[in-house]
Amino acid sequence: MTDPNTSPSRRAMLAAALVGGGAAAAALAGAPAARAVPGEASGRATAKNQFTLTVLGTTDLHNNVFNWDYFKNVPYADAAGNKIGIAQAATLINAMRAERGAASTLTIDAGDTIQGTPLAYYFAKINPISAAVKHPMALAMNAIGYDAVGLGNHEFNYGIGLLRTWERQLDFPLLGANVHDAVSGGRAFTPYVLKRIKTDSGWLTVGLVGLVTPGCALWDRDNVQGKLDFNGIVEEARTVVPQVKAAGADVVIVTSHSGATPGSSYGDALPFPENASTQLAEEVPGIDAILVGHAHLEIPERFVTNKATGKQVLLTEPLKWGMRVSVMDLELVKEKGQWTVTAAHSLLLDARTVDPDPAVVRAVQAGHEATVNYVNEVIGTSTAPLSTANACWEDSAAIDAINYVQASTVKAELANTPAAGLPVLSIAAAFSRAVDVKAGPLTIRDVAGLYIFDNTLLAIKVTGAQVKAYLEWSAQYFKPVTATTARAQDVTNAVTATAPNGTPDYNYDVVYGLDAPLNYEIDLARPAGDRIAKLSYGGQPLAPEQEFALAINNYRQSGGGNFPAVKNAPVLSNSQQEIRQRIIDYVVDRGTLDVAVFSQANWRLTVNGTPLTVTA
């Protein structure tokens, strides 16, 4: 067997993991391993006054430690063959340290670390972390030896108390320069940390800065209001970057939990944009590279020109959940006692190509096993079977269950806001026709299977006319039908201009009324765009001008499926809580998933007004 710790084998492993990037890819394939002897100067210098700094980055781990799907009780699998978890990423991190030289390598993360899986929920609510109970992401990240982690917006989901406990368990700083104490105005978290690296030309000081999207103020309002304030990313960086430089930083690296594509899911509800990483690079001088998070996108290497200096700032974002690791190489030259970055490049490494790191596995195995046992526990009962086998062509209690939880959640979120009086509607789709929850005992896995994706919940403001337009768009999913009996394959998944291969099931949304029934028929004898008939709310024809709060998932609200009106509709709430977890919480709180509470027969397919019978 080939020893993966030897340089040729390690280099081959890393080359196999390469996703993309610039000149760093060539260095990965051919550069000799740097010295990594503690206390010695290190780096791949070609001259005494030259040095290469390597910064490794992860982001949006969302408490994925192992390559495990807690909802299916099997190893994680997706269509692309990805593997997830910080244990996978750790193998790549350790290999890069050995390749580049541990003493010339820093490791950072850009946030959203302690929320997102049943493992996170278990250590927040079931067996909460404390002085005696260690968080799995603290154990894992300490085992890897991170140098710093930035705050993400999801760090606040379980409250400031749990966040502070996790912070105390870390062996490295938790960075959040733009988070301020609401009372004193002072910074509430460590704004930056200075890391000193010994080179052949003396010490190099690297400043690591953390910034988080100000949307936290909206999404976790109940947890942070009156306690924490969130300044704009660019606004805070204009203050903190000069402070880091004044403190002695030769190089400045920012973890920015804020997408690279400008825009805000919350519109103008805050004076600061949600996604400001590109603006940060453009408008704040003194930054050398930015590790981007929040958007769950993959950016191997991107350069943004700073408007003031003309300098190229490196941006990179690794894919979520530990699927990728960013590798940033900064080439430096020291002249007249001052270090200057002369070139910077980055690439991504793919975690599917390696095995999990044994040290991380040992650190979190017990917590993982406790969570597996937890999700397989019976948490309640279902009063009836919940199936999606026919949910794409007839009203389904399974879809009603999702809609009821979404609508009830939004109703509670809006209770003390100006939108409290709006009646609540909700949208949901059958993501899979394979849901088959039996009547009787329910496990957390059963309940989670009702909602298999990681979408989060928002509420937007819509009118009756917009609801009608939304339903007409959704009804494009159906093919034209002239007979009153048809096979499912002759009814569903119609080809449209935006779906040339057929409209997927997840783009057929059912609209549900919480405070009163929203009833309608979809007449498939009529052309797409004019199919919604007998549309009523509370027993009366739906008034075009009536206003509603619509519970909607972030995929749909952000434009997925190209549904009308929703992308630019006013956002009333955006907790960024996963809908799947909301369903779990509902059953845990009540103990029963009672079909009598939420099931409605509120829509049906017709042909010229006659009910359509669909056969599978």
Side-chain angles (χ1 to χ4, degrees), residues 471-472 475-476 478-484 491 508 520-534 603-612:
L471 287 167
E472 292 286 6
Q476 293 181 107
F478 296 107
K479 298 170 183 173
V481 176
T482 56
T484 56
V491 174
Y508 170 57
Y520 56 96
E521 294 180 356
I522 304 173
D523 194 331
L524 301 189
R526 294 160 67 168
D530 186 32
R531 287 176 165 175
I532 303 303
K534 299 182 180 178
W603 68 274
R604 64 179 181 175
L605 300 180
T606 64
V607 175
N608 291 317
T610 301
L612 172 66

Side-chain angles (χ1 to χ4, degrees), residues 456-516:
T456 57
L457 182 63
L458 300 91
I460 59 174
K461 189 181 197 179
V462 295
T463 65
Q466 290 170 331
V467 171
K468 169 72 159 52
Y470 192 102
L471 287 167
E472 292 286 6
W473 184 268
S474 185
Q476 293 181 107
Y477 166 79
F478 296 107
K479 298 170 183 173
V481 176
T482 56
T484 56
T485 300
R487 297 178 303 169
Q489 66 192 63
D490 298 322
V491 174
T492 63
N493 309 108
V495 171
T496 70
T498 55
N501 297 317
T503 305
D505 292 350
Y506 61 77
N507 272 346
Y508 170 57
D509 282 352
V510 171
V511 181
Y512 176 99
L514 176 69
D515 304 288

Side-chain angles (χ1 to χ4, degrees), residues 3-66:
D3 183 359
N5 293 315
T6 63
S7 292
S9 299
R10 183 177 62 244
R11 202 163 300 131
M13 179 189 77
L14 291 168
L18 178 65
V19 174
L28 177 63
R35 286 176 291 163
V37 180
E40 288 190 4
S42 60
R44 297 168 304 288
T46 57
K48 187 175 181 180
N49 67 332
Q50 297 179 5
F51 181 77
T52 301
L53 169 70
T54 296
V55 182
L56 309 176
T58 55
T59 191
D60 295 278
L61 293 168
H62 284 285
N63 217 114
N64 286 283
V65 174
F66 290 157

Side-chain angles (χ1 to χ4, degrees), residues 309-330:
T309 65
K311 177 179 177 178
Q312 295 291 295
V313 181
L314 174 66
L315 272 66
T316 182
E317 181 177 7
L319 201 56
K320 63 183 180 180
W321 303 353
M323 292 180 184
R324 308 285 185 268
V325 173
S326 283
V327 180
M328 294 174 272
D329 284 328
L330 280 71

Side-chain angles (χ1 to χ4, degrees), residues 93-94 97 106-108 140-148 171-172:
I93 290 169
N94 289 330
R97 285 173 176 162
L106 300 174
T107 304
I108 59 178
M141 298 179 101
N142 288 344
I144 293 169
Y146 275 76
D147 292 283
D171 292 340
F172 48 86

Side-chain angles (χ1 to χ4, degrees), residues 426-585:
S426 179
I427 65 98
F431 298 137
S432 163
R433 299 185 191 181
V435 173
D436 186 21
V437 176
K438 307 299 183 184
L442 282 171
T443 66
I444 288 179
R445 288 198 299 109
D446 290 328
V447 177
L450 290 171
Y451 205 99
I452 61 175
F453 290 136
D454 301 300
N455 299 334
T456 57
L457 182 63
L458 300 91
I460 59 174
K461 189 181 197 179
V462 295
T463 65
Q466 290 170 331
V467 171
K468 169 72 159 52
Y470 192 102
L471 287 167
E472 292 286 6
W473 184 268
S474 185
Q476 293 181 107
Y477 166 79
F478 296 107
K479 298 170 183 173
V481 176
T482 56
T484 56
T485 300
R487 297 178 303 169
Q489 66 192 63
D490 298 322
V491 174
T492 63
N493 309 108
V495 171
T496 70
T498 55
N501 297 317
T503 305
D505 292 350
Y506 61 77
N507 272 346
Y508 170 57
D509 282 352
V510 171
V511 181
Y512 176 99
L514 176 69
D515 304 288
L518 181 81
N519 295 322
Y520 56 96
E521 294 180 356
I522 304 173
D523 194 331
L524 301 189
R526 294 160 67 168
D530 186 32
R531 287 176 165 175
I532 303 303
K534 299 182 180 178
L535 178 58
S536 66
Y537 179 74
Q540 299 297 319
L542 182 65
E545 69 278 5
Q546 184 169 1
E547 292 183 332
F548 297 90
L550 179 67
I552 192 169
N553 66 65
N554 65 308
Y555 170 78
R556 188 68 80 231
Q557 187 271 340
S558 64
N562 200 32
F563 279 64
V566 297
K567 188 173 182 179
N568 296 318
V571 175
L572 302 174
S573 69
N574 183 0
S575 65
Q576 289 207 331
Q577 291 285 332
E578 292 176 356
I579 294 166
R580 183 176 55 203
Q581 189 64 51
R582 294 293 202 181
I583 300 169
I584 294 171
D585 292 346

Side-chain angles (χ1 to χ4, degrees), residues 109 111 113-114 147-152 155-156 163-164 166-168 170-177 188-193 210:
D109 183 272
T113 306
I114 60 171
D147 292 283
V149 58
L151 284 166
E155 262 63 81
F156 300 93
L163 175 56
R164 290 299 192 187
W166 178 63
E167 180 183 23
R168 288 191 293 271
L170 300 176
D171 292 340
F172 48 86
L174 176 62
L175 305 178
F189 291 86
T190 302
Y192 64 87
V193 63

